Amino acid sequence: MYNPFSLEGKTILVTGASSGIGRAIAIECSKMGARVILTARNKERLEETLLMLDNEGELYVADLSNLDDRNTLLIHLSHIDGVVHSAGITDPVPFQFITKERLDTIFDINYFSPVFLTKELLKKKILRNNSSIVFVSSIAGLLCSSVGGSAYSATKSAINGMVKGIALDLANKQIRVNTVCPGMIDTGIFDNSGITQEQLVEDSKKYPLKRYGKPEEVAHSVVYLLSEASSWVTGTNLVIDGGYTLL
Ligand SMILES: NC(=O)c1ccc[n+]([C@@H]2O[C@H](COP(=O)([O-])OP(=O)(O)OC[C@H]3O[C@@H](n4cnc5c(N)ncnc54)[C@H](OP(=O)(O)O)[C@@H]3O)[C@@H](O)[C@H]2O)c1
């Protein structure tokens, strides 16, 4: 059956696949026919994701901010047709309390890890020509921010800017490079952030569509960017925010 969104025959690496958006991306890619390779630090939660897949999959435990773990992961990979960088953290802190250490930690996982993992995937020719690279970024840093969100926004902003240059550098290989930029998505990412449930409910009312997004709604846009349906799309930051940044 004709389906330009199909991922049949493709192998996709998904980071941050042990929960939230990364898990939903892995599940939706699998539903669309991809063989999915999962990675994150928590083995148990990765195994849960693996059980949720429709198709073949495998998992590798790795702390992506650790160079040795990244290198070990690379040893296990042969050829892939796409990578989705979803691993990430928030660390809400008022600007006056930012330290170099805190910035290093958040930049390590949100920026340096996906950037250098991508570089190694290319250098080792694991990413095939015609492949697609997707970074899960954010509207934070692109179009807005939040109180205490300056460091997080900086990491995402750095990714949003960098994809444009990477897209140009890889265009001769027909490798496409894009981000998805979600607004608030209902995952556990804010569980230990000090933001209360009441604050989150109140905040969700500010969205024109009157709710936060769901992980699958981000996953569907990632499927689009990985598939032939987006074959002429590169260097784009795709906003998925229920209209939040229109106001
Ligand atoms: N939720 C939102 O509202 C929202 C909005 C915009 C953008 N985003 C972005 O979406 C991405 C996913 O967020 P989420 O909401 O799905 O959060 P989440 O449920 O907390 O997922 C974060 C993922 O990152 C992995 N991770 C964190 N540190 C890691 C490390 N050092 N090495 C390897 N994996 C690591 C975690 O796995 P382990 O703990 O198993 O390592 C987990 O799978 C993030 O990049 C986030 O910035 C989220």
Side-chain angles (χ1 to χ4, degrees):
M1 197 179 68
Y2 174 68
N3 184 357
F5 297 87
S6 169
L7 299 179
E8 212 75 53
K10 293 187 192 288
T11 299
I12 308 293
L13 170 66
V14 181
T15 78
S18 61
S19 69
I21 295 171
R23 173 177 277 175
I25 290 168
I27 293 169
E28 294 304 312
C29 286
S30 183
K31 279 184 191 161
M32 294 307 288
R35 175 174 158 263
V36 185
I37 302 171
L38 316 170
T39 186
R41 290 166 302 180
N42 188 301
K43 188 166 183 254
E44 260 176 35
R45 285 193 278 114
L46 279 176
E47 284 169 345
E48 284 170 19
T49 308
L50 195 64
L51 288 174
M52 295 173 190
L53 301 184
D54 279 26
N55 238 326
E56 199 191 330
E58 51 197 274
L59 68 86
Y60 298 103
V61 176
D63 179 341
L64 293 174
S65 59
N66 178 302
L67 181 60
D68 290 342
D69 277 18
R70 280 209 305 273
N71 286 336
T72 309
L73 169 68
L74 289 163
I75 290 168
H76 292 295
L77 304 176
S78 50
H79 292 295
I80 62 173
D81 305 279
V83 54
V84 185
H85 298 286
S86 189
I89 56 169
T90 57
D91 178 23
V93 54
F95 178 71
Q96 301 89 312
F97 295 99
I98 280 181
T99 59
K100 175 72 168 48
E101 240 180 8
R102 282 180 94 144
L103 270 186
D104 283 344
T105 304
I106 194 165
F107 264 90
D108 259 354
I109 185 62
N110 289 9
Y111 178 75
F112 288 111
S113 308
V115 165
F116 284 108
L117 180 59
T118 302
K119 189 183 162 200
E120 288 304 312
L121 289 169
L122 290 162
K123 193 172 156 197
K124 294 188 165 29
K125 300 193 186 311
I126 294 170
L127 264 168
R128 289 192 169 98
N129 288 355
N130 295 306
S131 59
S132 169
I133 302 168
V134 182
F135 295 86
V136 180
S137 185
S138 175
I139 53 170
L142 183 71
L143 295 163
C144 59
S145 191
S146 55
V147 174
S150 61
Y152 177 79
S153 301
T155 64
K156 297 300 187 180
S157 200
I159 289 287
N160 295 339
M162 193 139 183
V163 291
K164 297 193 177 286
I166 310 178
L168 286 173
D169 289 347
L170 300 185
N172 60 346
K173 295 179 191 297
Q174 297 292 316
I175 297 177
R176 298 179 298 105
V177 193
N178 296 285
T179 72
V180 290
C181 296
M184 280 288 277
I185 306 296
D186 215 347
T187 69
I189 198 166
F190 291 97
D191 281 358
N192 299 313
S193 66
I195 303 171
T196 67
Q197 201 52 39
E198 292 70 35
Q199 284 171 317
L200 291 174
V201 170
E202 204 45 46
D203 187 56
S204 70
K205 292 179 189 156
K206 294 182 196 152
Y207 282 68
L209 294 180
K210 295 294 167 218
R211 62 172 176 86
Y212 285 161
K214 298 175 195 160
E216 312 81 78
E217 291 172 320
V218 180
H220 294 154
S221 63
V222 172
V223 166
Y224 162 68
L225 290 173
L226 291 170
S227 72
E228 297 311 309
S230 62
S231 53
W232 213 47
V233 180
T234 195
T236 290
N237 294 307
L238 179 58
V239 172
I240 305 154
D241 70 349
Y244 182 76
T245 51
L246 293 173
L247 295 171

